[in-house]
Amino acid sequence: MKPVSSPFGQPLDRVDGPLKVTGQAQYAAEFPLPGLLYGSVVNSSIARGRIVRIDSSAAEAVPGVVLVLTHQNRPPIASYDEPYEDDDAAEGSPFRPLYNDRILYSGQPIALVVADNLELARYAGSLVRVEYEREPHRTDLISELETMHKAPAELPDPRGDADGALARARFKVDVEYSTPVEHHNPMEPHASTVHYFPEGNLEIHDKTQGVQNCMRYLEGVFDMEGKIRILSPFVGGAFGSGLRPQYQLTLAVMAALKLKRSVRVALKRQQMFTFGYRPRTVQRLAIAAGANGQLEAITHQAIGQTSRFEDFTEHEVEWSGMLYKCPNVRLDYQLVPLDVYTPLDMRAPGATIGVYALESAMDELAYAAGVDPVQLRLTNFAERNANEGKPYSSKELRQCYEQGAERFGWSRRTMEPRSMRDGNHLIGWGMATGVWEAMQMPAAAKACLEPDGRLVVSSATSDIGTGTYTVMTQIAAAAMGLPMEQVEFRLGDSNLSQAPLEGGSFTVSSVGTAVQQACDALQQKLLDTAQQSPVSPFTGAKLDDVEFVDGQMRLKASPAHSIEIAQIVAVGGVVEAEASAKPDEKRDEYSTATHSAVFVEVRVDEALGTVKVRRAVSAVAAGRVVNPKTAGNQVVGGVVWGIGQALHEETMIDHNLGRYMNHNLAEYHVPVNADIGEIDVIFVEEKDEIVNALGSKGVGEIGIVGVAAAVANAIYHATGKRIRDLPITLDKLL
């Protein structure tokens, strides 16, 4: 057999790539079913009030229309009086589509038109007439600040005397930053295809980041335990929008149960703006330092919007208490309830917003104290997480600063704003730190050796484009000493081994550890099988005495004594093992986090105020990287989004109507190829034997954190104008 080099740590192509580029990968709205009906959602046109009357007669008269489902004729639902929560629910009462006549926000689903085809359903939906009783609505965070209340978040206790230290400090910055509402807008809109079986069971293709979460949610809502299977083999992006079951899933199941037919409900792009989003925030940050640049005090208050029925919280201010060494810190987090839908986790939730404010303020402090921005951060480097009072399991952030600055050429930067230019363009160089928690969740996986020698590994996780298929295949192939092409990883099926939601950058550390442990258990079974012969050279050997290399099991002390894995399977039949993994207790004594340093160059047209990010360098310390290629893709995508956050993205609302105005991809601005310059990703070597068995920390989130601040800081360096309200559009610069 040709020697197999370990795929772990190699920049391999995605194993699911050929299916995607040839169009063979099927998404939630692409699975054909016999006799399939199509549903189109009708959304409310007011932000608050109640439905007086729904006239669906014109829609029902259209040939091919089968049903107009409303709160008045929906099937009975087990838990609608006691709302059933999902794994990512916020504190409060989850939204229940078609619950009653109350309107809680503009865009709320109020009817589902079901017809023989999608075009008929959408046309008939336009004929539904709704009479409302309007009530005054409140959708503007700024005008409702007096209604704010403390967020139900576990913040670290204040330490020291922040106010006193601020009053005494030689250098200080006391400023306010604001960020807008942003919507996820992945390429694949949300959709659910419900296959109804005559015995009442449902098999559902759903666009989700957690098939088992959706299954449990539907089982609870409809009292159908053991009767629902969720499938989601491919997801066209999600960024957090699939963490909670979205309303199209519930509506599709309602219609299928009422009609005893298979039903598909796919949302239009405009309807992607009718559920969760990144919340609008206002942040007040005061930060002070002594003559040597050493931090003396930080106070950070964040005020975010939420719905009236749930209190959405995220980690917005904690970063200010942990990223730098500072003896006096006070953190506060408030929420303002509005007549809007509940916000939702969105790539690096909380950190994207909170670190933007912190890192912008650090840049302002650097200028106030006359200290280089990188040097200010090195001066205040934290060896311990002061919020938790724990040392880090690993932290190569210093190397991120050093390697990122060297690759970028930071030493050539002049400190003075407006001091670097190229013709009509002002040149700005800015930087920021990034941070994200390195989490691990309980997960399980199964490994099975088939009679033909193939290894099939499975877990009910998802792949939202992050490369899960590929890295899990790499982990299994490396563990068993098999070539990649001989290993298959299966996911996206609620019937598979338990897995957490795919989010938070913890899939590799959670599911990957379970895959590793399942392979370890499989190795033990193979050894047990090989030892059944009394003349076996493996008699008396322990698992530590053997190795799995090149498709063989062999003795480490005597490699000549080996046996093909396929031969063991041929003798013993199918060999399989399942393992559950959870965070090791040794993590309890440490704080675990991924870190980065982001360097950005902008070119600002002095006359027009247009901004171009010419290049960016992101140096990331994320433990052991399973696949630098897929991980690099994630960081590049995060940098692009961070540029979008800084310069483009903003969901604009007409507060008179309580309705989003730019709910499409023509007017909701995101970066395109022409907006993006060179992006250079560095993975700083970082060894961590505590964070998990793989030593991996995950990179899905870290790529975006700090980027918006680096861009804003670069714009200040270029222009001398400090814009604290995102996005930084040319009207604000001019």
Side-chain angles (χ1 to χ4, degrees):
M1 174 181 279
K2 182 181 178 182
V4 179
S5 60
S6 174
F8 203 110
Q10 298 302 311
L12 303 181
D13 292 343
R14 293 170 186 253
V15 297
D16 52 324
L19 290 176
K20 289 182 174 178
V21 299
T22 57
Q24 296 178 74
Q26 287 183 293
Y27 295 83
E30 296 182 330
F31 287 89
L33 293 176
L36 183 66
L37 297 174
Y38 296 80
S40 179
V41 179
V42 178
N43 302 85
S44 71
S45 60
I46 68 168
R48 183 178 172 89
R50 71 179 190 90
I51 299 169
V52 175
R53 189 170 72 96
I54 296 180
D55 181 3
S56 59
S57 56
E60 291 166 338
V62 175
V65 171
V66 179
L67 172 70
V68 178
L69 192 68
T70 70
H71 69 281
Q72 296 170 320
N73 67 340
R74 61 168 169 80
I77 294 174
S79 75
Y80 255 31
D81 290 329
E82 293 293 332
Y84 190 86
E85 293 186 352
D86 63 272
D87 290 352
D88 199 50
E91 188 168 302
S93 175
F95 174 71
R96 292 162 281 177
L98 306 190
Y99 175 56
N100 58 19
D101 63 358
R102 295 296 307 170
I103 299 298
L104 305 178
Y105 70 98
S106 180
Q108 176 179 319
I110 55 174
L112 180 73
V113 179
V114 184
D116 290 338
N117 60 59
L118 180 60
E119 292 76 16
L120 271 178
R122 287 186 174 173
Y123 167 67
S126 70
L127 303 179
V128 175
R129 297 291 176 258
V130 185
E131 182 182 336
Y132 300 100
E133 182 181 289
R134 296 173 182 263
E135 297 175 8
H137 63 265
R138 300 286 183 269
T139 55
D140 185 4
L141 172 71
I142 303 302
S143 65
E144 300 299 311
L145 290 177
E146 71 277 3
T147 69
M148 68 183 180
H149 63 265
K150 206 157 197 63
E154 295 182 5
L155 295 182
D157 293 331
R159 58 180 186 262
D161 176 15
D163 292 326
L166 281 166
R168 296 188 300 270
R170 178 169 180 181
F171 303 111
K172 59 186 169 184
V173 171
D174 188 349
V175 286
E176 189 173 278
Y177 301 93
S178 61
T179 63
V181 166
E182 298 174 15
H183 277 84
H184 300 75
N185 279 308
M187 287 188 293
E188 179 199 14
H190 281 265
S192 304
T193 301
V194 180
H195 189 181
Y196 182 88
F197 290 90
E199 64 273 18
N201 290 348
L202 304 178
E203 188 173 276
I204 304 169
H205 297 279
D206 187 52
K207 189 253 176 66
T208 177
Q209 291 172 250
V211 287
Q212 291 175 331
N213 182 36
C214 287
M215 178 193 70
R216 288 188 293 267
Y217 174 78
L218 292 176
E219 286 180 342
V221 168
F222 293 99
D223 192 19
M224 293 182 66
E225 186 173 353
K227 294 184 176 182
I228 294 174
R229 181 185 185 187
I230 308 287
L231 299 166
S232 184
F234 296 100
V235 180
F239 315 118
S241 66
L243 290 172
R244 304 189 69 175
Q246 299 302 349
Y247 66 72
Q248 92 289 335
L249 175 61
T250 311
L251 294 179
V253 172
M254 279 187 195
L257 293 175
K258 187 173 182 69
L259 295 169
K260 295 181 170 52
R261 297 274 303 273
S262 297
V263 176
R264 172 178 296 155
V265 178
L267 299 185
K268 298 183 289 186
R269 178 58 60 181
Q270 289 86 348
Q271 290 169 328
M272 293 293 289
F273 290 79
T274 59
F275 51 88
Y277 51 88
R278 199 190 299 281
R280 184 182 182 188
T281 69
V282 176
Q283 299 178 76
R284 186 70 179 266
L285 209 148
I287 188 166
N292 60 354
Q294 183 67 54
L295 289 179
E296 296 179 352
I298 298 175
T299 64
H300 188 171
Q301 182 192 57
I303 305 170
Q305 71 177 58
T306 190
S307 67
R308 294 200 188 276
F309 47 91
E310 288 179 304
D311 275 349
F312 172 80
T313 60
E314 53 189 1
H315 296 296
E316 287 194 14
V317 297
E318 290 93 322
W319 319 103
S320 292
M322 64 180 275
L323 195 48
Y324 301 108
K325 186 177 179 180
C326 183
N328 303 290
V329 177
R330 189 182 72 250
L331 308 174
D332 185 38
Y333 183 16
Q334 303 283 330
L335 295 177
V336 174
L338 299 172
D339 298 305
V340 294
Y341 195 83
T342 309
L344 180 61
D345 288 342
M346 188 174 187
R347 197 171 197 170
T352 310
I353 296 170
V355 173
Y356 154 69
L358 171 63
E359 289 300 284
S360 296
M362 283 291 286
D363 196 70
E364 297 202 41
L365 182 66
Y367 275 94
V371 179
D372 176 81
V374 174
Q375 184 56 51
L376 180 66
R377 288 161 173 82
L378 288 169
T379 298
N380 293 285
F381 189 88
E383 301 286 355
R384 299 170 61 85
N385 181 337
N387 288 346
E388 300 176 354
K390 297 177 182 179
Y392 286 98
S393 59
S394 62
K395 185 178 181 182
E396 294 295 341
L397 179 55
R398 282 196 182 93
Q399 282 298 309
C400 292
Y401 292 136
E402 182 177 323
Q403 293 182 31
E406 183 179 354
R407 182 77 60 88
F408 188 81
W410 185 260
S411 61
R412 301 194 303 273
R413 177 184 186 266
T414 55
M415 185 80 173
E416 188 69 24
R418 302 181 69 90
S419 61
M420 299 171 67
R421 65 166 57 235
D422 179 13
N424 294 327
H425 289 98
L426 299 168
I427 307 300
W429 288 7
M431 62 82 56
T433 309
V435 61
W436 182 253
E437 52 198 329
M439 296 175 283
Q440 182 183 352
M441 302 294 174
K446 180 182 285 188
C448 178
L449 276 165
E450 303 283 347
D452 60 2
R454 283 189 319 122
L455 173 65
V456 177
V457 187
S458 59
S459 181
T461 186
S462 301
D463 189 335
I464 58 174
T466 51
T468 307
Y469 274 115
T470 309
V471 296
M472 297 304 162
T473 305
Q474 287 179 258
I475 292 169
M480 297 303 299
L482 293 170
M484 286 280 288
E485 57 271 16
Q486 207 170 320
V487 180
E488 178 187 356
F489 183 70
R490 296 174 183 170
L491 53 69
D493 183 342
S494 60
N495 284 353
L496 297 176
S497 303
Q498 176 258 333
L501 295 167
E502 182 171 60
S505 297
F506 51 66
T507 298
V508 171
S509 62
S510 307
V511 180
T513 301
V515 167
Q516 176 75 55
Q517 292 183 5
C519 290
D520 291 345
L522 188 66
Q523 290 176 356
Q524 183 64 61
K525 287 196 173 186
L526 289 169
L527 178 59
D528 293 344
T529 303
Q531 289 175 334
Q532 290 176 6
S533 169
V535 295
S536 170
F538 298 98
T539 301
K542 294 182 172 57
L543 194 56
D544 288 342
D545 300 328
V546 302
E547 59 185 354
F548 291 79
V549 181
D550 298 341
Q552 301 174 335
M553 181 177 71
R554 66 191 188 194
L555 288 170
K556 293 179 182 176
S558 179
H561 290 101
S562 64
I563 184 172
E564 298 284 339
I565 293 175
Q567 188 178 339
I568 304 175
V569 178
V571 173
V574 173
V575 183
E576 66 178 28
E578 187 169 12
S580 296
K582 61 181 182 180
D584 195 292
E585 291 181 357
K586 64 184 178 183
R587 281 177 56 110
D588 296 344
E589 303 301 316
Y590 295 88
S591 183
T592 56
T594 306
H595 293 89
S596 69
V598 186
F599 297 82
V600 165
E601 177 182 315
V602 300
R603 297 171 65 90
V604 183
D605 188 297
E606 193 170 15
L608 301 177
T610 53
V611 179
K612 166 79 174 185
V613 178
R614 180 174 170 270
R615 61 191 181 100
V617 172
S618 180
V620 179
R624 194 178 182 195
V625 178
V626 179
N627 185 326
K629 188 170 189 176
T630 56
N633 292 162
Q634 286 296 292
V635 176
V636 167
V639 172
V640 171
W641 197 340
I643 293 169
Q645 181 191 11
L647 302 177
H648 304 279
E649 284 199 58
E650 178 180 16
T651 312
M652 307 178 78
I653 191 167
D654 182 335
H655 294 298
N656 291 320
L657 299 174
R659 188 185 311 165
Y660 296 120
M661 298 182 290
N662 58 333
H663 56 303
N664 55 69
L665 291 186
E667 296 168 299
Y668 182 87
H669 295 162
V670 296
V672 297
N673 282 347
D675 296 309
I676 304 301
E678 176 187 340
I679 299 175
D680 199 353
V681 178
I682 302 169
F683 286 116
V684 173
E685 187 174 340
E686 184 176 61
K687 187 175 182 180
D688 196 321
E689 297 179 349
I690 293 165
V691 67
N692 54 62
L694 299 173
S696 175
K697 293 182 176 181
V699 295
E701 260 75 22
I702 190 66
I704 187 175
V705 184
V707 177
V711 173
N713 295 340
I715 289 173
Y716 172 76
H717 181 236
T719 66
K721 286 191 174 182
R722 186 70 71 174
I723 310 297
R724 303 185 181 97
D725 175 32
L726 295 184
I728 303 174
T729 48
L730 59 86
D731 56 308
K732 295 173 185 175
L733 273 175
L734 291 175

